Amino acid sequence: MAKKIILDTDPGIDDILALLLALSAKPEELELLLISLTFGNIEVKNCLQNVISMFHVLEREMQWRRDTGKPEGYGTLRASRPVVAVGAEEPLENQKMLADYFHGTDGLGGIHTTHPHLTPAQAWEHLFDPAVDPEGIKSVQTGAGPANHLYTPSKLPAHKEILRALRENEPDTVTLVAVGPLTNLALAAAEDPETFLRVKEVVVMGGAIHEPGNVTPVGEFNAYADAVAAARIFALTSPSPNSTLPPTKSEILPPYPEKLSRQLTLRLFPLDITLRHNLSGGQFREAVEPLLAAGSPLAEWVNAFMGHVFRTLERLHPGHVGDDAQLSLHDPVCVWYALTSQDSHWTPSAGSPEDIRIETLGQWSRGMCVIDRRSRHKIDGDQESANDHGLWLSLRAGNRIWRMDGSPVETTFGKILIDRIFY
């Protein structure tokens, strides 16, 4: 049976690769229910433009493949259209930070300027604007929409679409893959925690445990970009969620109910594992050159933004140039896990589930994954003691995070990704 997933994302270069990986799956492997968009790498309006451009290019690619006698591919996309919903424009409480220094201001290295023929006209914008059509919710409920679209546009906020998808599917049948800041997830969980907990598991790309951060010495971008949201989602893994909730000022972020029906299962893919999955400039060049020569629209589009990212990596990492430049495939790894989670070579850390908490208030440590490195015995109680501030040793408090550490594709994933997307 096909695995059902929601992909919460902020496209972004590796996010687009993650989306292409999901959409290129076979229908029996995967059903992509929802693409929920958040700010993160870039402003959310640019994330939407990038996703719509992706569908535009895929329409052209599948037509090119038909015309040249090649298999169309992208079976998941042809079998069912995902809903696309626009979500959070800014973090819950933290100052907004973007990663456009790496991805470019449009998220794809300026592609909408350099390759305008691959960007659709802006006529699609009204499809996502609730002010244009107050009855717009019906388009999601009925699946109606322009016949030439490969997606179903939603006029609802992304967090409400997440809740809708979870209500409409049986508990433990939908995996939520989150590869950007966790703002949409936190809003959904705050509005209706019991519906949110119908999810089978949440797969999170974020954080750094033993590796340095990538935006501060201790902060990974997604955890840093909305530390409060990450901390609130992590708290749902606890037997006592309010024991690890961060202090907040917002009235839309109340404490969770004292009694919830279950704990959240959260699989964390921090930099410690994602940095071990890479695509080299040489691998990409060898794969894409014959496709460019043959006239593939998808190859032209992907080559344009990948050229930008490999040039950026050369500037950031002197000595790693040309074919030796390495792009870490942070977000696609999480999608591949969702596709192949039954593979026993996916393994958590020896100490999992671990009590991992996200720092929200520190001057220099915002977004840090905090773990208890002390060698002390656990305590079967829920009373805070003077030598254990924060209930780190309590068996009845603290988070329960499955930190993923072992991978079946560590050395081969770059080739797997390219083969899936292009062939």
Side-chain angles (χ1 to χ4, degrees):
M1 179 179 292
K3 296 177 178 178
K4 298 179 180 182
I5 74 167
I6 296 168
L7 188 48
D8 191 78
T9 177
D10 56 337
I13 287 167
D14 59 327
D15 302 74
I16 287 291
L17 296 177
L19 281 163
L20 290 171
L21 177 61
L23 294 168
S24 65
K26 299 174 183 178
E28 60 268 25
E29 290 181 310
L30 183 73
E31 181 182 359
L32 181 56
L33 301 176
L34 169 65
I35 300 170
S36 55
L37 301 176
T38 178
F39 83 96
N41 290 320
I42 49 174
E43 300 285 0
V44 73
K45 64 179 181 180
N46 291 330
C47 294
L48 178 60
Q49 183 179 32
N50 292 343
V51 167
I52 302 307
S53 295
M54 176 190 70
F55 284 115
H56 173 71
V57 170
L58 285 175
E59 282 187 316
R60 295 181 55 181
E61 173 73 8
M62 287 188 287
Q63 183 62 53
W64 173 79
R65 292 185 183 187
R66 289 192 293 269
D67 292 344
T68 55
K70 303 178 188 299
E72 281 185 81
Y74 287 85
T76 288
L77 179 57
R78 289 185 286 112
S80 61
R81 299 187 306 183
V83 173
V84 176
V86 181
E89 298 181 3
E90 57 187 17
L92 298 176
E93 293 193 4
N94 303 126
Q95 180 181 3
K96 181 158 69 174
M97 174 186 177
L98 304 175
D100 50 6
Y101 61 90
F102 183 83
H103 296 267
T105 55
D106 68 355
L108 295 178
I111 196 171
H112 303 300
T113 300
T114 61
H115 294 69
H117 60 291
L118 296 176
T119 300
Q122 299 296 100
W124 47 265
E125 287 184 325
H126 72 280
L127 298 171
F128 299 88
D129 185 355
V132 173
D133 176 14
E135 300 297 316
I137 189 172
K138 292 180 180 178
S139 69
V140 175
Q141 294 172 333
T142 64
N148 63 331
H149 281 139
L150 296 173
Y151 61 91
T152 299
S154 173
K155 296 174 183 290
L156 292 177
H159 74 277
K160 292 184 179 294
E161 283 292 355
I162 291 172
L163 292 172
R164 179 195 60 79
L166 293 173
R167 286 190 194 102
E168 292 180 358
N169 289 275
E170 291 296 317
D172 294 318
T173 61
V174 177
T175 295
L176 205 170
V177 181
V179 295
L182 298 184
T183 316
N184 288 335
L185 279 67
L187 290 170
E191 181 170 314
D192 190 344
E194 286 294 349
T195 295
F196 187 80
L197 289 173
R198 290 169 65 93
V199 71
K200 178 181 180 181
E201 61 182 6
V202 175
V203 179
V204 172
M205 190 282 122
I209 308 299
H210 302 297
E211 285 286 331
N214 58 6
V215 291
T216 73
V218 295
E220 177 275 331
F221 176 81
N222 288 338
Y224 184 92
D226 196 339
V228 169
R232 287 185 63 89
I233 293 301
F234 279 34
L236 285 171
T237 69
S238 173
S240 176
N242 291 327
S243 70
T244 62
L245 273 186
T248 59
K249 303 172 185 175
S250 174
E251 293 182 359
I252 66 170
L253 300 171
Y256 293 124
E258 284 299 323
K259 296 292 184 181
L260 290 170
S261 61
R262 60 195 294 184
Q263 294 167 234
L264 177 69
T265 299
L266 191 151
R267 307 272 177 183
L268 183 67
F269 283 74
L271 295 180
D272 306 63
I273 185 171
T274 62
L275 285 171
R276 307 200 306 257
H277 297 76
N278 298 289
L279 174 67
S280 72
Q283 280 180 298
F284 180 76
R285 178 183 55 77
E286 290 176 8
V288 81
E289 280 181 349
L291 295 169
L292 289 170
S296 162
L298 181 62
E300 181 185 4
W301 190 63
V302 175
N303 185 61
F305 63 73
M306 290 293 280
H308 163 83
V309 79
F310 281 122
R311 289 190 297 272
T312 301
L313 288 167
E314 289 177 1
R315 290 197 303 271
L316 293 174
H317 304 285
H320 296 272
V321 298
D323 285 357
D324 294 329
Q326 298 277 336
L327 174 65
S328 294
L329 301 170
H330 306 289
D331 298 345
V333 170
C334 294
V335 170
W336 189 245
Y337 168 79
L339 268 166
T340 64
S341 58
Q342 72 280 359
D343 190 325
S344 61
H345 292 92
W346 289 112
T347 54
S349 63
S352 286
E354 298 178 74
D355 187 356
I356 301 173
R357 309 185 193 183
I358 301 293
E359 174 58 47
T360 62
L361 297 177
Q363 180 181 3
W364 309 117
S365 56
R366 168 179 153 189
M368 178 183 181
C369 287
V370 182
I371 60 175
D372 191 350
R373 302 178 190 272
R374 300 173 296 176
S375 178
R376 295 190 182 184
H377 295 295
K378 291 287 187 180
I379 302 170
D380 189 11
D382 53 11
Q383 295 299 313
E384 188 168 274
S385 63
N387 65 352
D388 183 36
H389 181 63
L391 296 174
W392 285 90
L393 299 177
S394 172
L395 291 170
R396 303 181 190 178
N399 296 333
R400 305 289 190 269
I401 306 294
W402 293 92
R403 175 170 67 87
M404 303 308 292
D405 189 47
S407 163
V409 292
E410 189 171 314
T411 60
T412 59
F413 187 52
K415 185 177 187 308
I416 290 171
L417 177 71
I418 291 300
D419 287 347
R420 283 270 179 154
I421 288 175
F422 289 116
Y423 298 101

